[in-house]
Amino acid sequence: MASRKRTGKLAFKASDLLFLLPGLLVYTIFLSYPALSSFYYSMTDWNGLSPELSFIGLDNFRRLWADDAFWRTLRNTLAFALGLVVFLNLIAFLAALALDGNGRIRKTLRVLFLIPTLLSGLSIGYMWSYMYSPIFGVINSALDAVGLGALKQDWLGDPKLALPSVIFAHMWQWTGFHMIIFLGALQSVSKELLEAAEIDGAGPWKRLLNVTVPQVRPAFTVSVILATIGGLKVFDTIMIMTQGGPGGATDSLSTLLYRMAFNFNDMGYASAIGLVMLAFIMLISYAQLRVLRAGGE
């Protein structure tokens, strides 16, 4: 009897492995192998073209530590991610509160908010580049039309305005997606608790802070982590709108990696940048997860 049970258990495990095999193969080919290859190439002087390369140990990482461009792009990347996380989640949550409920207008607005998410980053980048244009851009034209011509700016040409302008464009693309996350959470908030709080005399603000927000905390955790990862690895929006300029004001780790790999054929150094990016994203996401989960306990 015991032998039959062991045989059945082994057969069950073998069938599990059979079902997992396609996924494991895809994971190995498309994720594990590229990641391990990057680790290997980060310790070489490979130029990305020649079959010849030399092992140089940690030289690329020492070079990274002494590279001013790396530290500048790291600051820009962190500023981009911070701005995105704060304003994207705030606006998406307020939009979800406004559009929570039934009604044709609310349903229509939800769809309209979601449309930018369906567009590619390239489309968003080109569209906002035209809108920010200091010559024929719709933003400066609108300021002129309402008598606020004095506020016209070279939105992408001014180093002080370029990064916030790109963050706003990226945020515009993803607000609808994060709004849906919050909407899903809001629709699961207990109506009984809200009614009980109202009977106890709690106003709308207190009901929001003391009942609604604690119940949608898991949605905040998901939204914050997704926004952080998106902000730390943003590439297409910056590349299309500013290519890292002006004067490096919007240069990020992703654009630096691209430039080193494909403009300067320095694939070994670019691989080192990619590994450092991966480490930053994993560390920051893990720290956020711990903090947000601890706050909910």
Side-chain angles (χ1 to χ4, degrees):
M1 181 66 76
S3 174
R4 277 187 188 176
K5 282 184 178 178
R6 277 199 298 273
T7 305
K9 198 172 180 181
L10 285 174
F12 178 71
K13 286 181 178 176
S15 65
D16 281 354
L17 186 61
L18 192 62
F19 282 111
L20 288 172
L21 197 56
L24 285 173
L25 282 175
V26 170
Y27 182 83
T28 303
I29 293 171
F30 293 104
L31 290 175
S32 297
Y33 177 71
L36 292 174
S37 297
S38 296
F39 183 73
Y40 169 69
Y41 288 124
S42 70
M43 296 190 178
T44 70
D45 61 354
W46 189 43
N47 63 12
L49 299 172
S50 171
E52 296 179 0
L53 53 84
S54 302
F55 183 77
I56 58 174
L58 297 176
D59 283 0
N60 281 326
F61 294 96
R62 294 191 191 96
R63 179 181 160 194
L64 204 62
W65 182 261
D67 189 350
D68 291 338
F70 167 72
W71 293 108
R72 187 191 68 243
T73 54
L74 179 61
R75 285 194 297 272
N76 289 343
T77 303
L78 292 176
F80 192 104
L82 181 63
L84 190 69
V85 167
V86 172
F87 294 107
L88 174 63
N89 284 287
L90 179 63
I91 294 173
F93 182 62
L94 292 177
L97 284 175
L99 300 182
D100 184 29
N102 296 317
R104 186 175 297 175
I105 295 177
R106 282 196 173 100
K107 290 178 181 175
T108 305
L109 288 174
R110 286 178 208 162
V111 174
L112 292 177
F113 265 85
L114 200 56
I115 286 176
T117 306
L118 306 178
L119 302 176
S120 71
L122 294 177
S123 306
I124 299 293
Y126 280 120
M127 186 178 73
W128 277 94
S129 295
Y130 284 115
M131 292 175 68
Y132 281 135
S133 170
I135 301 171
F136 48 79
V138 67
I139 295 176
N140 281 349
S141 299
L143 289 173
D144 253 340
V146 297
L148 296 175
L151 297 179
K152 289 197 304 184
Q153 302 288 339
D154 184 359
W155 301 99
L156 298 179
D158 185 337
K160 292 180 182 175
L161 296 175
L163 188 61
S165 300
V166 177
I167 292 173
F168 186 83
H170 195 74
M171 188 174 69
W172 181 84
Q173 180 182 10
W174 291 105
T175 297
F177 175 77
H178 288 261
M179 180 195 72
I180 294 297
I181 294 175
F182 287 123
L183 265 176
L186 285 174
Q187 290 177 0
S188 66
V189 172
S190 169
K191 306 299 179 193
E192 290 77 12
L193 280 178
L194 287 171
E195 289 172 2
E198 189 174 2
I199 292 170
D200 287 343
W205 182 246
K206 283 190 175 179
R207 291 202 299 275
L208 174 67
L209 288 182
N210 298 324
V211 179
T212 303
V213 170
Q215 291 197 46
V216 299
R217 190 185 294 275
F220 270 105
T221 303
V222 172
S223 183
V224 165
I225 290 176
L226 288 178
T228 303
I229 294 172
L232 290 174
K233 66 183 184 65
V234 63
F235 172 74
D236 46 5
T237 311
I238 292 176
M239 204 62 189
I240 294 300
M241 294 180 70
T242 62
Q243 298 185 352
T250 60
D251 211 6
S252 70
L253 285 174
S254 297
T255 54
L256 177 65
L257 185 157
Y258 174 86
R259 201 163 53 247
M260 288 298 165
F262 300 106
N263 291 356
F264 298 102
N265 292 331
D266 198 347
M267 197 61 77
Y269 190 53
S271 299
I273 295 171
L275 285 178
V276 171
M277 266 185 70
L278 176 65
F280 265 112
I281 290 173
M282 291 178 68
L283 283 174
I284 292 175
S285 300
Y286 178 73
Q288 282 181 328
L289 195 61
R290 292 294 300 268
V291 170
L292 291 170
R293 280 186 173 174
E297 290 172 354

mmCIF file of all heavy atoms in Angstrom, residues 38-39 41-43 60-61 63-65 67 69-71 73-74 77 232 251-261 264 266-281:
data_model
loop_
_atom_site.group_PDB
_atom_site.id
_atom_site.type_symbol
_atom_site.label_atom_id
_atom_site.label_comp_id
_atom_site.label_asym_id
_atom_site.label_seq_id
_atom_site.Cartn_x
_atom_site.Cartn_y
_atom_site.Cartn_z
ATOM 1 N N SER A 38 24.193 38.909 -19.532
ATOM 2 C CA SER A 38 24.529 40.290 -19.153
ATOM 3 C C SER A 38 25.564 40.304 -18.044
ATOM 4 O O SER A 38 26.494 41.129 -18.055
ATOM 5 C CB SER A 38 23.269 41.032 -18.687
ATOM 6 O OG SER A 38 22.360 41.145 -19.738
ATOM 7 N N PHE A 39 25.397 39.404 -17.075
ATOM 8 C CA PHE A 39 26.364 39.331 -15.982
ATOM 9 C C PHE A 39 27.756 38.988 -16.520
ATOM 10 O O PHE A 39 28.771 39.580 -16.118
ATOM 11 C CB PHE A 39 25.901 38.291 -14.963
ATOM 12 C CG PHE A 39 26.788 38.191 -13.773
ATOM 13 C CD1 PHE A 39 26.792 39.191 -12.810
ATOM 14 C CD2 PHE A 39 27.631 37.106 -13.600
ATOM 15 C CE1 PHE A 39 27.626 39.116 -11.706
ATOM 16 C CE2 PHE A 39 28.470 37.014 -12.506
ATOM 17 C CZ PHE A 39 28.463 38.023 -11.555
ATOM 18 N N TYR A 41 28.889 39.446 -19.721
ATOM 19 C CA TYR A 41 29.431 40.516 -20.574
ATOM 20 C C TYR A 41 29.824 41.753 -19.766
ATOM 21 O O TYR A 41 30.669 42.541 -20.204
ATOM 22 C CB TYR A 41 28.417 40.904 -21.650
ATOM 23 C CG TYR A 41 28.268 39.862 -22.724
ATOM 24 C CD1 TYR A 41 27.030 39.309 -23.027
ATOM 25 C CD2 TYR A 41 29.373 39.427 -23.439
ATOM 26 C CE1 TYR A 41 26.899 38.341 -24.005
ATOM 27 C CE2 TYR A 41 29.262 38.453 -24.425
ATOM 28 C CZ TYR A 41 28.021 37.915 -24.699
ATOM 29 O OH TYR A 41 27.904 36.949 -25.669
ATOM 30 N N SER A 42 29.197 41.946 -18.583
ATOM 31 C CA SER A 42 29.567 43.113 -17.767
ATOM 32 C C SER A 42 31.001 42.999 -17.256
ATOM 33 O O SER A 42 31.568 43.989 -16.788
ATOM 34 C CB SER A 42 28.600 43.246 -16.586
ATOM 35 O OG SER A 42 28.811 42.198 -15.654
ATOM 36 N N MET A 43 31.580 41.815 -17.330
ATOM 37 C CA MET A 43 32.962 41.621 -16.879
ATOM 38 C C MET A 43 33.915 41.456 -18.064
ATOM 39 O O MET A 43 34.997 40.882 -17.930
ATOM 40 C CB MET A 43 33.046 40.391 -15.971
ATOM 41 C CG MET A 43 32.248 40.583 -14.700
ATOM 42 S SD MET A 43 32.560 39.301 -13.498
ATOM 43 C CE MET A 43 31.544 39.858 -12.138
ATOM 44 N N ASN A 60 34.501 47.408 -15.269
ATOM 45 C CA ASN A 60 33.338 48.196 -15.706
ATOM 46 C C ASN A 60 32.591 48.790 -14.521
ATOM 47 O O ASN A 60 32.073 49.911 -14.599
ATOM 48 C CB ASN A 60 32.390 47.321 -16.532
ATOM 49 C CG ASN A 60 32.879 47.135 -17.955
ATOM 50 O OD1 ASN A 60 33.477 48.046 -18.522
ATOM 51 N ND2 ASN A 60 32.658 45.967 -18.521
ATOM 52 N N PHE A 61 32.526 48.048 -13.421
ATOM 53 C CA PHE A 61 31.822 48.563 -12.230
ATOM 54 C C PHE A 61 32.657 49.647 -11.552
ATOM 55 O O PHE A 61 32.098 50.607 -11.009
ATOM 56 C CB PHE A 61 31.524 47.413 -11.262
ATOM 57 C CG PHE A 61 30.543 46.429 -11.830
ATOM 58 C CD1 PHE A 61 30.991 45.274 -12.459
ATOM 59 C CD2 PHE A 61 29.175 46.665 -11.768
ATOM 60 C CE1 PHE A 61 30.094 44.373 -13.004
ATOM 61 C CE2 PHE A 61 28.271 45.759 -12.312
ATOM 62 C CZ PHE A 61 28.731 44.614 -12.932
ATOM 63 N N ARG A 63 34.633 51.673 -13.176
ATOM 64 C CA ARG A 63 34.452 52.812 -14.087
ATOM 65 C C ARG A 63 33.100 53.486 -13.836
ATOM 66 O O ARG A 63 32.984 54.713 -13.872
ATOM 67 C CB ARG A 63 34.536 52.285 -15.530
ATOM 68 C CG ARG A 63 34.358 53.316 -16.592
ATOM 69 C CD ARG A 63 34.434 52.631 -17.949
ATOM 70 N NE ARG A 63 33.822 53.426 -18.986
ATOM 71 C CZ ARG A 63 33.508 52.974 -20.177
ATOM 72 N NH1 ARG A 63 33.765 51.715 -20.491
ATOM 73 N NH2 ARG A 63 32.946 53.754 -21.070
ATOM 74 N N LEU A 64 32.102 52.656 -13.567
ATOM 75 C CA LEU A 64 30.759 53.180 -13.276
ATOM 76 C C LEU A 64 30.774 54.055 -12.027
ATOM 77 O O LEU A 64 30.167 55.134 -11.993
ATOM 78 C CB LEU A 64 29.820 51.990 -13.062
ATOM 79 C CG LEU A 64 28.330 52.161 -13.283
ATOM 80 C CD1 LEU A 64 28.056 52.531 -14.725
ATOM 81 C CD2 LEU A 64 27.613 50.861 -12.937
ATOM 82 N N TRP A 65 31.481 53.611 -11.020
ATOM 83 C CA TRP A 65 31.546 54.340 -9.741
ATOM 84 C C TRP A 65 32.173 55.722 -9.932
ATOM 85 O O TRP A 65 31.796 56.682 -9.251
ATOM 86 C CB TRP A 65 32.352 53.507 -8.741
ATOM 87 C CG TRP A 65 32.455 54.130 -7.381
ATOM 88 C CD1 TRP A 65 33.496 54.839 -6.870
ATOM 89 C CD2 TRP A 65 31.457 54.097 -6.358
ATOM 90 N NE1 TRP A 65 33.224 55.261 -5.600
ATOM 91 C CE2 TRP A 65 31.973 54.807 -5.256
ATOM 92 C CE3 TRP A 65 30.180 53.532 -6.265
ATOM 93 C CZ2 TRP A 65 31.256 54.979 -4.076
ATOM 94 C CZ3 TRP A 65 29.469 53.703 -5.082
ATOM 95 C CH2 TRP A 65 30.010 54.413 -4.019
ATOM 96 N N ASP A 67 32.130 57.465 -12.797
ATOM 97 C CA ASP A 67 31.538 58.129 -13.964
ATOM 98 C C ASP A 67 30.502 59.165 -13.518
ATOM 99 O O ASP A 67 29.462 58.816 -12.950
ATOM 100 C CB ASP A 67 30.881 57.063 -14.857
ATOM 101 C CG ASP A 67 30.445 57.637 -16.195
ATOM 102 O OD1 ASP A 67 30.484 58.878 -16.353
ATOM 103 O OD2 ASP A 67 30.078 56.850 -17.076
ATOM 104 N N ALA A 69 28.542 60.848 -15.392
ATOM 105 C CA ALA A 69 27.303 60.666 -16.164
ATOM 106 C C ALA A 69 26.395 59.645 -15.485
ATOM 107 O O ALA A 69 25.163 59.801 -15.468
ATOM 108 C CB ALA A 69 27.633 60.216 -17.588
ATOM 109 N N PHE A 70 26.996 58.606 -14.902
ATOM 110 C CA PHE A 70 26.186 57.592 -14.211
ATOM 111 C C PHE A 70 25.459 58.209 -13.020
ATOM 112 O O PHE A 70 24.254 57.991 -12.836
ATOM 113 C CB PHE A 70 27.081 56.439 -13.743
ATOM 114 C CG PHE A 70 26.398 55.525 -12.764
ATOM 115 C CD1 PHE A 70 25.405 54.658 -13.188
ATOM 116 C CD2 PHE A 70 26.738 55.552 -11.417
ATOM 117 C CE1 PHE A 70 24.754 53.824 -12.283
ATOM 118 C CE2 PHE A 70 26.095 54.726 -10.506
ATOM 119 C CZ PHE A 70 25.105 53.857 -10.937
ATOM 120 N N TRP A 71 26.167 58.994 -12.210
ATOM 121 C CA TRP A 71 25.525 59.577 -11.019
ATOM 122 C C TRP A 71 24.462 60.605 -11.406
ATOM 123 O O TRP A 71 23.432 60.725 -10.748
ATOM 124 C CB TRP A 71 26.590 60.206 -10.109
ATOM 125 C CG TRP A 71 27.487 59.162 -9.527
ATOM 126 C CD1 TRP A 71 28.778 58.915 -9.851
ATOM 127 C CD2 TRP A 71 27.134 58.186 -8.534
ATOM 128 N NE1 TRP A 71 29.269 57.861 -9.134
ATOM 129 C CE2 TRP A 71 28.292 57.387 -8.306
ATOM 130 C CE3 TRP A 71 25.976 57.908 -7.819
ATOM 131 C CZ2 TRP A 71 28.292 56.345 -7.397
ATOM 132 C CZ3 TRP A 71 25.979 56.864 -6.899
ATOM 133 C CH2 TRP A 71 27.135 56.101 -6.705
ATOM 134 N N THR A 73 22.646 60.547 -14.206
ATOM 135 C CA THR A 73 21.472 59.822 -14.709
ATOM 136 C C THR A 73 20.748 59.081 -13.574
ATOM 137 O O THR A 73 19.526 58.948 -13.616
ATOM 138 C CB THR A 73 21.874 58.804 -15.796
ATOM 139 O OG1 THR A 73 22.900 57.943 -15.283
ATOM 140 C CG2 THR A 73 22.396 59.512 -17.028
ATOM 141 N N LEU A 74 21.506 58.651 -12.573
ATOM 142 C CA LEU A 74 20.863 57.994 -11.425
ATOM 143 C C LEU A 74 19.977 58.988 -10.679
ATOM 144 O O LEU A 74 18.839 58.668 -10.291
ATOM 145 C CB LEU A 74 21.930 57.419 -10.487
ATOM 146 C CG LEU A 74 21.403 56.733 -9.227
ATOM 147 C CD1 LEU A 74 20.511 55.542 -9.588
ATOM 148 C CD2 LEU A 74 22.545 56.270 -8.334
ATOM 149 N N THR A 77 16.921 59.592 -12.759
ATOM 150 C CA THR A 77 16.033 58.421 -12.727
ATOM 151 C C THR A 77 15.240 58.365 -11.424
ATOM 152 O O THR A 77 14.030 58.105 -11.424
ATOM 153 C CB THR A 77 16.857 57.123 -12.896
ATOM 154 O OG1 THR A 77 17.604 57.201 -14.110
ATOM 155 C CG2 THR A 77 15.973 55.902 -12.943
ATOM 156 N N LEU A 232 11.560 53.848 -12.903
ATOM 157 C CA LEU A 232 12.994 53.546 -12.861
ATOM 158 C C LEU A 232 13.521 53.023 -14.202
ATOM 159 O O LEU A 232 14.709 53.151 -14.492
ATOM 160 C CB LEU A 232 13.287 52.516 -11.763
ATOM 161 C CG LEU A 232 13.134 53.007 -10.322
ATOM 162 C CD1 LEU A 232 13.304 51.853 -9.341
ATOM 163 C CD2 LEU A 232 14.144 54.103 -10.003
ATOM 164 N N ASP A 251 18.346 62.891 -18.865
ATOM 165 C CA ASP A 251 19.082 61.647 -19.135
ATOM 166 C C ASP A 251 18.826 60.642 -18.005
ATOM 167 O O ASP A 251 18.985 60.970 -16.827
ATOM 168 C CB ASP A 251 20.579 61.966 -19.215
ATOM 169 C CG ASP A 251 21.290 61.035 -20.169
ATOM 170 O OD1 ASP A 251 20.614 60.250 -20.830
ATOM 171 O OD2 ASP A 251 22.529 61.129 -20.258
ATOM 172 N N SER A 252 18.428 59.446 -18.352
ATOM 173 C CA SER A 252 18.150 58.420 -17.336
ATOM 174 C C SER A 252 19.121 57.253 -17.500
ATOM 175 O O SER A 252 19.877 57.185 -18.470
ATOM 176 C CB SER A 252 16.706 57.919 -17.478
ATOM 177 O OG SER A 252 16.584 57.158 -18.662
ATOM 178 N N LEU A 253 19.052 56.317 -16.564
ATOM 179 C CA LEU A 253 19.924 55.142 -16.661
ATOM 180 C C LEU A 253 19.647 54.361 -17.949
ATOM 181 O O LEU A 253 20.567 53.847 -18.580
ATOM 182 C CB LEU A 253 19.707 54.232 -15.446
ATOM 183 C CG LEU A 253 20.312 54.710 -14.121
ATOM 184 C CD1 LEU A 253 19.890 53.786 -12.993
ATOM 185 C CD2 LEU A 253 21.830 54.783 -14.204
ATOM 186 N N SER A 254 18.369 54.304 -18.361
ATOM 187 C CA SER A 254 18.023 53.563 -19.584
ATOM 188 C C SER A 254 18.621 54.221 -20.824
ATOM 189 O O SER A 254 19.131 53.532 -21.714
ATOM 190 C CB SER A 254 16.506 53.496 -19.745
ATOM 191 O OG SER A 254 15.933 52.788 -18.698
ATOM 192 N N THR A 255 18.555 55.556 -20.901
ATOM 193 C CA THR A 255 19.092 56.233 -22.082
ATOM 194 C C THR A 255 20.618 56.175 -22.083
ATOM 195 O O THR A 255 21.235 56.086 -23.142
ATOM 196 C CB THR A 255 18.611 57.692 -22.152
ATOM 197 O OG1 THR A 255 18.936 58.360 -20.929
ATOM 198 C CG2 THR A 255 17.114 57.768 -22.372
ATOM 199 N N LEU A 256 21.224 56.219 -20.889
ATOM 200 C CA LEU A 256 22.687 56.077 -20.807
ATOM 201 C C LEU A 256 23.107 54.682 -21.275
ATOM 202 O O LEU A 256 24.081 54.526 -22.038
ATOM 203 C CB LEU A 256 23.160 56.321 -19.374
ATOM 204 C CG LEU A 256 24.664 56.138 -19.124
ATOM 205 C CD1 LEU A 256 25.472 57.181 -19.888
ATOM 206 C CD2 LEU A 256 24.983 56.217 -17.633
ATOM 207 N N LEU A 257 22.354 53.680 -20.829
ATOM 208 C CA LEU A 257 22.641 52.293 -21.248
ATOM 209 C C LEU A 257 22.544 52.168 -22.769
ATOM 210 O O LEU A 257 23.424 51.593 -23.417
ATOM 211 C CB LEU A 257 21.651 51.362 -20.557
ATOM 212 C CG LEU A 257 21.802 49.862 -20.738
ATOM 213 C CD1 LEU A 257 21.132 49.147 -19.563
ATOM 214 C CD2 LEU A 257 21.208 49.339 -22.029
ATOM 215 N N TYR A 258 21.472 52.723 -23.325
ATOM 216 C CA TYR A 258 21.270 52.642 -24.790
ATOM 217 C C TYR A 258 22.428 53.322 -25.531
ATOM 218 O O TYR A 258 22.950 52.790 -26.513
ATOM 219 C CB TYR A 258 19.941 53.298 -25.146
ATOM 220 C CG TYR A 258 19.694 53.391 -26.635
ATOM 221 C CD1 TYR A 258 19.124 52.325 -27.327
ATOM 222 C CD2 TYR A 258 20.041 54.544 -27.345
ATOM 223 C CE1 TYR A 258 18.903 52.406 -28.689
ATOM 224 C CE2 TYR A 258 19.824 54.632 -28.707
ATOM 225 C CZ TYR A 258 19.256 53.556 -29.375
ATOM 226 O OH TYR A 258 19.048 53.639 -30.727
ATOM 227 N N ARG A 259 22.799 54.507 -25.041
ATOM 228 C CA ARG A 259 23.864 55.269 -25.708
ATOM 229 C C ARG A 259 25.180 54.503 -25.681
ATOM 230 O O ARG A 259 25.904 54.435 -26.681
ATOM 231 C CB ARG A 259 23.995 56.630 -25.022
ATOM 232 C CG ARG A 259 24.658 57.681 -25.863
ATOM 233 C CD ARG A 259 24.419 59.078 -25.352
ATOM 234 N NE ARG A 259 24.756 59.269 -23.957
ATOM 235 C CZ ARG A 259 23.870 59.524 -23.005
ATOM 236 N NH1 ARG A 259 22.585 59.611 -23.302
ATOM 237 N NH2 ARG A 259 24.252 59.701 -21.757
ATOM 238 N N MET A 260 25.509 53.930 -24.528
ATOM 239 C CA MET A 260 26.771 53.194 -24.412
ATOM 240 C C MET A 260 26.760 51.931 -25.288
ATOM 241 O O MET A 260 27.772 51.586 -25.908
ATOM 242 C CB MET A 260 27.009 52.806 -22.941
ATOM 243 C CG MET A 260 27.374 53.970 -22.074
ATOM 244 S SD MET A 260 28.930 54.699 -22.632
ATOM 245 C CE MET A 260 28.913 56.270 -21.774
ATOM 246 N N ALA A 261 25.623 51.263 -25.350
ATOM 247 C CA ALA A 261 25.545 49.997 -26.095
ATOM 248 C C ALA A 261 25.529 50.214 -27.604
ATOM 249 O O ALA A 261 26.244 49.517 -28.337
ATOM 250 C CB ALA A 261 24.298 49.217 -25.657
ATOM 251 N N PHE A 264 28.145 53.958 -28.780
ATOM 252 C CA PHE A 264 29.583 53.834 -28.532
ATOM 253 C C PHE A 264 30.069 52.388 -28.592
ATOM 254 O O PHE A 264 31.252 52.128 -28.330
ATOM 255 C CB PHE A 264 29.942 54.446 -27.174
ATOM 256 C CG PHE A 264 29.649 55.911 -27.081
ATOM 257 C CD1 PHE A 264 28.524 56.371 -26.408
ATOM 258 C CD2 PHE A 264 30.480 56.837 -27.688
ATOM 259 C CE1 PHE A 264 28.248 57.732 -26.331
ATOM 260 C CE2 PHE A 264 30.210 58.199 -27.615
ATOM 261 C CZ PHE A 264 29.088 58.638 -26.948
ATOM 262 N N ASP A 266 29.911 50.017 -26.607
ATOM 263 C CA ASP A 266 30.566 49.621 -25.352
ATOM 264 C C ASP A 266 29.613 48.687 -24.603
ATOM 265 O O ASP A 266 29.062 49.039 -23.555
ATOM 266 C CB ASP A 266 30.875 50.872 -24.530
ATOM 267 C CG ASP A 266 31.923 50.590 -23.469
ATOM 268 O OD1 ASP A 266 32.211 49.403 -23.227
ATOM 269 O OD2 ASP A 266 32.439 51.548 -22.884
ATOM 270 N N MET A 267 29.434 47.493 -25.142
ATOM 271 C CA MET A 267 28.420 46.584 -24.632
ATOM 272 C C MET A 267 28.738 46.082 -23.218
ATOM 273 O O MET A 267 27.829 45.850 -22.418
ATOM 274 C CB MET A 267 28.271 45.395 -25.584
ATOM 275 C CG MET A 267 27.007 44.604 -25.389
ATOM 276 S SD MET A 267 25.507 45.566 -25.663
ATOM 277 C CE MET A 267 25.465 45.626 -27.451
ATOM 278 N N GLY A 268 30.006 45.907 -22.908
ATOM 279 C CA GLY A 268 30.379 45.456 -21.572
ATOM 280 C C GLY A 268 29.973 46.473 -20.516
ATOM 281 O O GLY A 268 29.387 46.122 -19.484
ATOM 282 N N TYR A 269 30.264 47.748 -20.775
ATOM 283 C CA TYR A 269 29.898 48.813 -19.820
ATOM 284 C C TYR A 269 28.376 48.942 -19.733
ATOM 285 O O TYR A 269 27.824 49.132 -18.645
ATOM 286 C CB TYR A 269 30.525 50.126 -20.287
ATOM 287 C CG TYR A 269 30.427 51.246 -19.289
ATOM 288 C CD1 TYR A 269 30.882 51.073 -17.986
ATOM 289 C CD2 TYR A 269 29.887 52.485 -19.644
ATOM 290 C CE1 TYR A 269 30.802 52.102 -17.062
ATOM 291 C CE2 TYR A 269 29.805 53.510 -18.732
ATOM 292 C CZ TYR A 269 30.260 53.314 -17.450
ATOM 293 O OH TYR A 269 30.180 54.339 -16.536
ATOM 294 N N ALA A 270 27.685 48.844 -20.889
ATOM 295 C CA ALA A 270 26.221 48.924 -20.890
ATOM 296 C C ALA A 270 25.616 47.776 -20.068
ATOM 297 O O ALA A 270 24.625 47.967 -19.364
ATOM 298 C CB ALA A 270 25.698 48.880 -22.322
ATOM 299 N N SER A 271 26.224 46.589 -20.154
ATOM 300 C CA SER A 271 25.726 45.455 -19.357
ATOM 301 C C SER A 271 25.880 45.731 -17.871
ATOM 302 O O SER A 271 25.003 45.379 -17.065
ATOM 303 C CB SER A 271 26.484 44.174 -19.730
ATOM 304 O OG SER A 271 26.286 43.859 -21.090
ATOM 305 N N ALA A 272 26.985 46.375 -17.498
ATOM 306 C CA ALA A 272 27.184 46.729 -16.082
ATOM 307 C C ALA A 272 26.107 47.719 -15.633
ATOM 308 O O ALA A 272 25.561 47.602 -14.524
ATOM 309 C CB ALA A 272 28.576 47.325 -15.893
ATOM 310 N N ILE A 273 25.775 48.702 -16.476
ATOM 311 C CA ILE A 273 24.707 49.659 -16.141
ATOM 312 C C ILE A 273 23.378 48.918 -15.975
ATOM 313 O O ILE A 273 22.609 49.179 -15.042
ATOM 314 C CB ILE A 273 24.583 50.731 -17.243
ATOM 315 C CG1 ILE A 273 25.857 51.574 -17.305
ATOM 316 C CG2 ILE A 273 23.383 51.639 -16.981
ATOM 317 C CD1 ILE A 273 25.903 52.514 -18.503
ATOM 318 N N GLY A 274 23.112 47.975 -16.878
ATOM 319 C CA GLY A 274 21.870 47.217 -16.797
ATOM 320 C C GLY A 274 21.764 46.416 -15.501
ATOM 321 O O GLY A 274 20.700 46.367 -14.881
ATOM 322 N N LEU A 275 22.866 45.829 -15.071
ATOM 323 C CA LEU A 275 22.833 45.058 -13.821
ATOM 324 C C LEU A 275 22.606 45.956 -12.613
ATOM 325 O O LEU A 275 21.877 45.595 -11.691
ATOM 326 C CB LEU A 275 24.154 44.295 -13.661
ATOM 327 C CG LEU A 275 24.320 43.068 -14.560
ATOM 328 C CD1 LEU A 275 25.681 42.434 -14.332
ATOM 329 C CD2 LEU A 275 23.221 42.044 -14.275
ATOM 330 N N VAL A 276 23.233 47.134 -12.635
ATOM 331 C CA VAL A 276 23.023 48.070 -11.523
ATOM 332 C C VAL A 276 21.567 48.545 -11.502
ATOM 333 O O VAL A 276 20.951 48.666 -10.429
ATOM 334 C CB VAL A 276 23.997 49.270 -11.650
ATOM 335 C CG1 VAL A 276 23.643 50.356 -10.651
ATOM 336 C CG2 VAL A 276 25.423 48.804 -11.439
ATOM 337 N N MET A 277 21.013 48.797 -12.679
ATOM 338 C CA MET A 277 19.588 49.170 -12.755
ATOM 339 C C MET A 277 18.709 48.093 -12.153
ATOM 340 O O MET A 277 17.780 48.369 -11.388
ATOM 341 C CB MET A 277 19.191 49.362 -14.222
ATOM 342 C CG MET A 277 19.269 50.760 -14.732
ATOM 343 S SD MET A 277 18.630 50.837 -16.417
ATOM 344 C CE MET A 277 16.899 50.568 -16.143
ATOM 345 N N LEU A 278 18.981 46.852 -12.535
ATOM 346 C CA LEU A 278 18.196 45.727 -12.025
ATOM 347 C C LEU A 278 18.283 45.655 -10.503
ATOM 348 O O LEU A 278 17.269 45.462 -9.812
ATOM 349 C CB LEU A 278 18.707 44.423 -12.641
ATOM 350 C CG LEU A 278 18.055 43.137 -12.133
ATOM 351 C CD1 LEU A 278 16.585 43.093 -12.514
ATOM 352 C CD2 LEU A 278 18.770 41.909 -12.701
ATOM 353 N N ALA A 279 19.502 45.849 -9.971
ATOM 354 C CA ALA A 279 19.678 45.800 -8.518
ATOM 355 C C ALA A 279 18.897 46.916 -7.834
ATOM 356 O O ALA A 279 18.245 46.694 -6.802
ATOM 357 C CB ALA A 279 21.169 45.909 -8.182
ATOM 358 N N PHE A 280 18.924 48.134 -8.409
ATOM 359 C CA PHE A 280 18.182 49.253 -7.826
ATOM 360 C C PHE A 280 16.686 48.967 -7.820
ATOM 361 O O PHE A 280 16.000 49.188 -6.814
ATOM 362 C CB PHE A 280 18.446 50.535 -8.629
ATOM 363 C CG PHE A 280 19.547 51.362 -8.057
ATOM 364 C CD1 PHE A 280 20.741 51.503 -8.734
ATOM 365 C CD2 PHE A 280 19.390 52.011 -6.835
ATOM 366 C CE1 PHE A 280 21.775 52.256 -8.207
ATOM 367 C CE2 PHE A 280 20.412 52.763 -6.304
ATOM 368 C CZ PHE A 280 21.609 52.894 -6.988
ATOM 369 N N ILE A 281 16.174 48.488 -8.944
ATOM 370 C CA ILE A 281 14.733 48.229 -9.042
ATOM 371 C C ILE A 281 14.306 47.165 -8.023
ATOM 372 O O ILE A 281 13.295 47.303 -7.332
ATOM 373 C CB ILE A 281 14.372 47.794 -10.473
ATOM 374 C CG1 ILE A 281 14.522 48.975 -11.436
ATOM 375 C CG2 ILE A 281 12.951 47.249 -10.543
ATOM 376 C CD1 ILE A 281 14.363 48.615 -12.896
#
